[in-house]
């Protein structure tokens, strides 16, 4: 199923919602980075292991907001008005999570072009997770397994994919990623704060960020009627720049994140696959499986 199939019978014009705003892009990035710095500062001040653990998961949310939601917007040229700006500013939202615009597009655009088809990575990914098995334990697969460390494996595979094909000659993107991280690591090390980088960036990056990625991928397409599910949970969308309006995004990838709620109401308020979070999806899926077993 392709995006072209989706857009044939839209009740309103998507062009009415296609508008980019540089200020909103910068403010979105500023919000996320400020949140990370403030959370880390509070945790350091509190010096409590329980607050640290909560802080790590909170930072992971904003890493997801930066390194998935906003990077995703930039890959579609929605974050800033000029295409060049979306690409040249990737050091703000791509490099910190070991991703680049070019590698993200190479991975993501076939998913749009042939949703559920041979070029789409989702069916193979779900197969790897064990989500197609008849005797699967859904609670284990959705919640226990990723938190226990399986999502780290996904992160390493993803990072390898994003970095393996980069050109590391001077001034090329791969070289820029290397220089970015060299500067970051040396800056923290020479200032005597390498522990802060490890505890408040690396730990959430390899533990929490992959879990949020895992849950997002599963939520968006698993067992759907249309192929794509939207998450209309207010808090989740507030924290992740309306990343939950996924059905609409497949309809109209050119609509920027801040126009998605009103565009959803105008274009696809009756979309067949809607949830209010991963737990809602879990309840629906387990209820469906129970009914199928009893029938």
């Amino acid at each position: 199923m392709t995006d072209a199939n989706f857009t044939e019978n839209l009740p309103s014009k998507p062009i009415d919602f296609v508008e980019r705003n540089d200020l909103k892009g910068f403010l979105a990035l500023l919000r996320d980075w400020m949140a990370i710095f403030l959370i880390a500062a509070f945790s350091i001040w509190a010096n409590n292991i329980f607050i640290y653990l909560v802080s790590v998961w909170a930072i992971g949310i904003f890493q997801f907001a930066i390194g998935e939601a906003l990077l995703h917007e930039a890959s579609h040229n929605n974050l800033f008005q000029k295409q060049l700006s979306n690409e040249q500013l990737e050091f703000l939202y791509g490099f910190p999570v070991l991703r680049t615009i070019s590698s993200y597009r190479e991975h993501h655009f076939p998913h749009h072009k042939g949703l559920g088809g041979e070029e789409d990575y989702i069916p193979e990914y779900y197969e790897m997770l064990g989500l197609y098995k008849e005797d699967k334990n859904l609670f284990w697969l959705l919640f226990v397994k990723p938190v226990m460390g399986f999502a780290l494996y996904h992160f390493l595979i993803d990072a390898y994919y994003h970095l393996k094909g980069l050109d590391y000659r001077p001034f090329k993107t791969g070289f820029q990623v290397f220089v970015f991280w060299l500067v970051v690591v040396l800056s923290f090390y020479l200032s005597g704060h390498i522990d802060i980088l490890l505890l408040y960036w690396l730990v959430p990056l390899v533990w929490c960020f992959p879990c949020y990625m895992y849950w997002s991928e599963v939520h968006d397409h698993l067992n759907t009627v249309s192929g794509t599910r939207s998450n209309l949970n207010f808090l989740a969308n507030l924290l992740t720049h309306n990343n939950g309006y996924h059905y609409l995004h497949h309809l109209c990838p050119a609509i920027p994140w801040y126009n998605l709620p009103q565009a959803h109401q105008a274009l696809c308020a009756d979309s067949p696959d809607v949830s209010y979070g991963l737990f809602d999806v879990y309840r629906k899926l387990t209820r469906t499986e129970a009914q199928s077993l009893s029938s």
Side-chain angles (χ1 to χ4, degrees):
M1 187 180 297
T2 65
D3 294 338
N5 299 132
F6 282 135
T7 55
E8 291 178 357
N9 300 309
L10 291 178
S12 186
K13 293 182 179 179
I15 193 65
D16 296 337
F17 304 96
V18 177
E19 165 271 332
R20 281 94 175 195
N21 187 302
D22 287 349
L23 179 60
K24 290 181 179 179
F26 282 115
L27 288 177
L29 282 166
L30 180 63
R31 185 208 73 167
D32 294 340
W33 281 110
M34 285 297 297
I36 290 171
F37 289 133
L38 291 173
I39 292 167
F42 176 75
S43 178
I44 293 169
W45 172 80
N47 193 27
N48 180 284
I49 184 61
F50 298 107
I51 291 178
Y52 170 72
L53 290 174
V54 172
S55 298
V56 162
W57 282 93
I59 288 172
I61 292 175
F62 289 103
Q63 287 179 329
F64 178 87
I66 292 170
E68 172 58 27
L70 293 183
L71 176 62
H72 176 231
E73 290 294 311
S75 74
H76 288 284
N77 298 317
N78 291 336
L79 191 56
F80 301 109
Q81 290 178 326
K82 295 181 179 178
Q83 178 177 341
L84 195 60
S85 297
N86 288 283
E87 296 168 356
Q88 290 183 334
L89 295 175
E90 61 186 334
F91 67 91
L92 293 174
Y93 38 82
F95 296 176
V97 295
L98 302 178
R99 291 173 159 191
T100 68
I101 288 287
S102 59
S103 63
Y104 192 94
R105 286 172 174 164
E106 183 180 347
H107 183 60
H108 182 67
F109 283 8
H111 170 63
H112 273 272
K113 184 179 179 181
L115 180 62
E118 294 182 359
E119 294 181 339
D120 187 9
Y121 68 93
I122 287 292
E124 183 179 354
Y125 180 58
Y126 285 179
E127 184 72 34
M128 180 188 72
L129 297 183
L131 292 169
Y132 291 150
K133 294 181 179 179
E134 293 185 3
D135 59 345
K136 62 182 176 291
N137 183 325
L138 202 58
F139 184 81
W140 167 263
L141 293 176
L142 290 187
F143 302 108
V144 180
K145 196 174 181 180
V147 175
M148 292 296 290
F150 179 77
L152 170 60
Y153 173 76
H154 168 64
F155 172 79
L156 293 175
I157 294 296
D158 184 70
Y160 172 74
Y161 173 85
H162 281 280
L163 298 177
K164 70 174 181 177
L166 297 181
D167 190 340
Y168 288 89
R169 290 177 295 178
F171 308 112
K172 300 298 182 178
T173 304
F175 179 77
Q176 293 172 15
V177 175
F178 174 78
V179 170
F180 172 87
W181 273 103
L182 180 64
V183 170
V184 170
V185 171
L186 282 177
S187 298
F188 276 88
Y189 177 77
L190 294 175
S191 66
H193 297 299
I194 192 68
D195 57 326
I196 293 178
L197 179 64
L198 295 175
L199 291 172
Y200 292 99
W201 188 260
L202 185 61
V203 170
L205 184 64
V206 301
W207 183 25
C208 311
F209 174 74
C211 287
Y212 292 121
M213 287 292 304
Y214 182 107
W215 292 326
S216 177
E217 296 279 26
V218 171
H219 174 280
D220 287 346
H221 302 287
L222 180 64
N223 286 20
T224 56
V225 175
S226 64
T228 308
R229 179 184 292 108
S230 290
N231 177 6
L232 301 188
N233 182 279
F234 172 78
L235 181 60
N237 283 300
L238 177 65
L239 293 174
T240 64
H241 308 291
N242 294 322
N243 189 67
Y245 289 88
H246 202 65
Y247 179 86
L248 175 57
H249 173 69
H250 273 271
L251 285 175
C252 315
I255 297 178
W257 75 97
Y258 45 84
N259 284 337
L260 289 176
Q262 57 267 41
H264 172 84
Q265 291 301 319
L267 302 176
C268 56
D270 59 348
S271 56
D273 296 293
V274 170
S275 84
Y276 292 89
L278 189 63
F279 282 101
D280 184 30
V281 172
Y282 172 76
R283 285 193 298 269
K284 291 176 180 176
L285 292 182
T286 51
R287 189 181 307 123
T288 301
E289 289 179 353
Q291 290 174 349
S292 64
L293 287 173
S294 63
S295 59

